[in-house]
Amino acid sequence: MIRFKNFMACAVVMLMAYSPLSHSAIMSLPGIPESGNPNFENDAQVNLFDLGGDNYLFAATNSGAPLTFNLGSESVVSSTSHPAYFVLTALFSGDGSYIPNTGALSISGEIPYPFANLPGVFISGDLLTAKLDHFAFDSDTLGFSTNQISGFGTLFGSAESVYLSATGLASALGFGSGALIATSTPLHASAITTVPVPGAGWLIGSAFGLFTLLRKNRLNTEVAC
């Protein structure tokens, strides 16, 4: 089995009403880049913890749920034997104001190689690490703009977005009310993290796909000899 280690060198439902929203439509909030493709998608468990001193920790994880990477019309999905992890954290004041430069996003683990149908070939390690710049919300959606730092996702660009969505999500957490509400059990939401592809990105992907295919053929030849 071929693996690329550290490529690029570099849920539980609180109330039944809070159901994840579909990502069939492009998601957008003021000041936050639109969701798009390529992207990472996963289900997330969302918590808001009261830290005291008028500070709240927002935390979202996929908690073992599969993570999907969409590239054009193609998609690859993590599995139990090759898991991938989504972790997002950010600090807020009690009135719902995001404290700048306190948020971080990490997507790590393993996903099948997305540029060609090559069974047993995985990208693993840092899939995307980013800081969270700006925050916005509406009744069902929380959105952050991201400034990517490292990982496989940086192959496609830099500044983009991450959205978390579920029916009534913002009001359940107190956003817009002037006073945040700590969770007693996690909320279940959908997450989409967009990574933009530049004009040359498809060529880069094809080149990596060819390189991997040649590498696999070479190893098979060596084994046969």
Side-chain angles (χ1 to χ4, degrees):
M1 181 180 293
I2 303 172
R3 299 184 181 213
F4 289 161
K5 290 299 182 181
N6 296 318
F7 183 84
M8 294 294 290
C10 353
V12 174
V13 179
M14 183 178 182
L15 293 171
M16 289 301 292
Y18 303 127
S19 58
L21 301 179
S22 169
H23 290 138
S24 57
I26 292 177
M27 303 182 72
S28 178
L29 287 170
I32 310 299
E34 289 184 344
S35 65
N37 188 303
N39 61 54
F40 291 98
E41 286 187 275
N42 60 273
D43 291 333
Q45 289 189 1
V46 176
N47 279 288
L48 187 64
F49 301 102
D50 186 350
L51 302 180
D54 201 40
N55 290 318
Y56 287 75
L57 173 65
F58 178 89
T61 70
N62 65 328
S63 298
L67 186 145
T68 300
F69 178 67
N70 300 303
L71 180 69
S73 61
E74 303 297 323
S75 296
V76 293
V77 185
S78 66
S79 63
T80 302
S81 57
H82 298 280
Y85 307 96
F86 170 94
V87 179
L88 184 152
T89 58
L91 289 179
F92 286 85
S93 299
D95 62 1
S97 300
Y98 172 57
I99 302 175
N101 302 315
T102 62
L105 169 70
S106 173
I107 300 177
S108 61
E110 295 185 331
I111 56 171
Y113 193 69
F115 298 114
N117 184 17
L118 299 173
V121 179
F122 292 85
I123 292 173
S124 64
D126 182 9
L127 300 177
L128 178 66
T129 298
K131 68 178 182 179
L132 308 180
D133 291 335
H134 303 291
F135 172 75
F137 68 92
D138 62 20
S139 59
D140 301 325
T141 310
L142 311 179
F144 295 88
S145 60
T146 67
N147 184 6
Q148 298 177 21
I149 299 172
S150 66
F152 165 71
T154 59
L155 172 66
F156 302 100
S158 55
E160 260 302 328
S161 60
V162 55
Y163 287 92
L164 295 114
S165 60
T167 303
L169 178 62
S171 59
L173 297 173
F175 286 103
S177 68
L180 293 184
I181 304 168
T183 53
S184 56
T185 58
L187 300 177
H188 184 60
S190 300
I192 182 169
T193 304
T194 307
V195 289
V197 60
W202 301 106
L203 297 177
I204 293 171
S206 298
F208 274 113
L210 178 60
F211 169 78
T212 305
L213 183 60
L214 291 175
R215 181 181 178 187
K216 186 175 184 180
N217 287 343
R218 186 187 67 184
L219 291 176
N220 288 341
T221 301
E222 291 175 354
V223 170
C225 293

